[in-house]
Amino acid sequence: MSNRLISHRRAVLALALFAALQGSALATDTPSATDAAPADAAADVSKVKQLQAVSVIGQGESRQVQRITSEDVKVLPPGSSPLKVLEGKPGVHFESADPFGNYEWSTRISLRGFNQNRLGFTLDGIPLGDMSYGNQNGLHISRALIAENLGGAELAEGIGSLGTASTSDLGGTVQFYSADPTPDYGVTVAQSIGTDSARRTYARLDTGDHHGFAMYLSGAYATVDKWKGQGDQTQRQFNGKAVYDFGDDSRVGALLTTSSRHENDYQDLSLALEKRNGWNWDNFRPDWNRAVAVATQYQTTGTVNDGNVQSVDDAYYDASGLRDDTVASVFGDFALSDTVRLKATGYYHNDRGQGHWWTPYVPSYPGTPQQTPISIRTTEYGIDRGGLTAALSWDIGIHHVEAGFWYEDSNHNVQRNYYYVSGPVSDNYFLEDPNLRQFYQHYETTTRQFYVQDSFKLLDDRLSVDVGFKSPHSKVTARAVPGTLTYGTAGAYAAGTLTAKKTFLPQIGASYQLGGGFEVFGSYAKNIAAYQAGITGPLATTQVAFDTFGKQLKPEQSRTIEGGLRQVSDFYQASLALYDVKFDNRLLVISQCAGIVGCASGYANVGSVSSRGAELAVNFKLADDLHWSNSLSYNRSRYDNDYVSGFDAQNNPIVVPTKGKTVVDSPKQLIASELVWTPGPWDLRLSAHYTGKRYYTYINDAGVPSYWLFNAAVGHDFGKLGFAQDIKLALNVTNLANKRYFGTIGSNGFVVSDAGGTFQTLLAGAPRASMLTATVRF
């Protein structure tokens, strides 16, 4: 490439980027200019080695696919959740109230209007469930894997691969892959310091390759103070992975990950509360006396008037969450012959978690001299699950036939307890022996899923066709754990069984090479979702309520059609996708009280949602050391029906007019742009993200405005210095303009209407933050 052409392209880039950063409505976003992770489903960990051979925009795929590698996280502070990297991809909406995307009470991801609970997530083929805060069938990727050990990820915005081990993937999947051990011996140490007393240490030992065997052991410790209020968020992690390559491209291996996380929560805001008290309003900690005064006033008079505190829910003393996880797996990838291959993964996951809320609704030691107006309300989680995924593939002439299955048995316990306190004690540990118990529920979920797929090429390999189906079967059974209920009048949650199954869920797709780097593609798929176990599922209600609506429930289902055009050249990669999605049997949790009170929720089938949209991704290679990635997404998700929420005093139905309204937390426009310049030892990155207006009420009478965010990173590789093989220094800055905005919405769910702006379900986005990291490899 001539110097003149390089200069011309850089000038065009500068002008276009200036327009984008000034807020042009057509600025664009995402896919990184790096290549990426495998599209295959069942534990295809060996393909992580092939990242550089796969198109980042999914060239050759019959589905809309985007890919990332570990290189894509460089614009983010060390330890950031891999989900935060995905926010630059078309159709992806990601929010969090912290700079790292790890604060789980706030973390939300949605694809094309489908929220997190209706997406599928895996790590090396191991199902992560829906990664929800109220653990019931998995764990968050930020706990499952240390960020530096990410090998790659594949994002399917609308149609996930048939072999994905998920029963919630109505609207897309994200498959994460852990990095393999390096072939050379080495020790890597990284130390980070940053805003809000952030400190993070990462260390990894690679054994190197020894006659086909290689292994690494790694650990990370991270702590950061809340950016407002008092408290911190601390995490300890361990990852170990071993592989043995042998014979004809076959391998076996094992993965072990552990995580121990404690996070102090930010107070949920409302529009009115932020207007009255500002963005930095938070819980009372460490002001115990004020928390006691507000709780006493409420319990005595039923009202609160304490300066800028006008409601007992404006602030609590404190809130926090704890999670301990262990994930272990063994996997194998065997070449049984030149044309037959077997892949299998066995896994086990153990989780213990608690969410703590210092509640002013239940006093401690009532009727005694030790009485205080506050107790600690907990929701306590436990998961013990194990399973197996396997896939057998066979090349027969022009056909690549694959058949596989997934089996999982999961036991989940959830209980609501109250612990008495006499003062501001530390609660950053797992509490035991409660004083009161509201409920204790056990769920057993058995999942079986089988799939078959045939992939073949015609017309001199220009036409690629994928056709197949899957057959899921998921049964969840709930029962109350025997014991005495000592709080509340509703009694135990419901006992019963719900089964979601479908014999035939088809998926068909094709891509056709037009020549000149152009390709058209299209896909059709149907999916259903299993019923959720746990505190947000249909069995988390009273027995009377479940007996009334339980037999009428049908599993949620979706039908997705998508198609588009791709082009790849030496100068750019581009992808345009159009989609039409029908989401039927939408099940709605209807909250009956404030989140801290913890009432049994209502549950109803409220009809369907129609989503239509377009996604454009354009990645420019302006020079060997200069890349510009962009994406623009437009999504229109609307409710198709009104629904009945109950009956008034005259027994007339109360109709909620949601027909034609925009789906909550579903921005119509998403824009992202990232510029990467890597001259010599330097690595310079700048990114911009735009999120459109979002509603948090079903009738769209309350929402939060649109906003732009900018991030930057600069790094320098000093190379070999003394006894160190490599030394790097990097500075990451998020929210460069220090924008004040609402990030997460729906932290306490959504409501029909909030004309007064008093519903506390919003979290402020984090202000500007920076992180400086030194990395040394020996």
Side-chain angles (χ1 to χ4, degrees), residues 319-340:
S320 62
L322 301 98
R323 298 289 187 274
D324 283 358
D325 291 274
T326 299
V327 177
S329 74
V330 292
F331 53 85
D333 186 353
F334 308 100
L336 303 183
S337 71
D338 291 340
T339 59
V340 180

Side-chain angles (χ1 to χ4, degrees), residues 661-708:
K661 302 297 184 182
T662 298
V663 171
V664 293
D665 198 17
S666 178
K668 288 184 179 180
Q669 302 92 10
L670 294 167
I671 302 171
S673 184
E674 182 184 11
L675 177 65
V676 180
W677 187 27
T678 55
W682 290 95
D683 190 321
L684 308 172
R685 296 169 185 252
L686 177 66
S687 67
H689 298 270
Y690 172 82
T691 300
K693 182 178 181 178
R694 295 165 289 153
Y695 297 102
Y696 65 87
T697 61
Y698 295 115
I699 66 170
N700 294 173
D701 66 345
V704 298
S706 60
Y707 66 91
W708 280 94

Side-chain angles (χ1 to χ4, degrees), residues 621-655:
K621 184 178 180 182
L622 300 159
D624 289 340
D625 60 357
L626 191 60
H627 299 83
W628 186 24
S629 303
N630 303 276
S631 77
L632 171 66
S633 305
Y634 175 82
N635 176 72
R636 192 193 71 175
S637 293
R638 293 181 176 177
Y639 300 115
D640 294 331
N641 313 93
D642 298 335
Y643 72 91
V644 175
S645 66
F647 297 87
D648 61 19
Q650 288 73 42
N651 205 34
N652 296 314
I654 301 172
V655 177

Side-chain angles (χ1 to χ4, degrees), residues 341-365:
R341 192 167 204 92
L342 173 66
K343 302 168 189 173
T345 297
Y347 63 89
Y348 171 74
H349 171 218
N350 175 270
D351 167 86
R352 295 296 179 265
Q354 288 188 356
H356 297 178
W357 240 339
W358 291 64
T359 176
Y361 288 92
V362 179
S364 294
Y365 307 108

Side-chain angles (χ1 to χ4, degrees), residues 203-227:
R204 170 167 155 168
L205 167 66
D206 278 274
T207 64
D209 184 277
H210 297 277
H211 306 291
F213 176 82
M215 178 177 68
Y216 66 76
L217 304 174
S218 63
Y221 171 81
T223 183
V224 59
D225 290 343
K226 291 169 57 179
W227 59 265

Side-chain angles (χ1 to χ4, degrees), residues 103-115:
Y103 172 42
E104 290 189 38
W105 177 253
S106 70
T107 298
R108 300 289 189 279
I109 185 171
S110 63
L111 302 176
R112 297 180 178 176
F114 281 98
N115 65 28

Side-chain angles (χ1 to χ4, degrees), residues 57 59 513-520 565-569 572 574:
I57 62 169
Q59 190 80 354
Q513 304 291 334
L514 298 172
F518 284 95
E519 173 187 70
V520 293
L565 175 69
R566 303 184 183 107
Q567 186 188 18
V568 174
S569 71
Y572 67 88

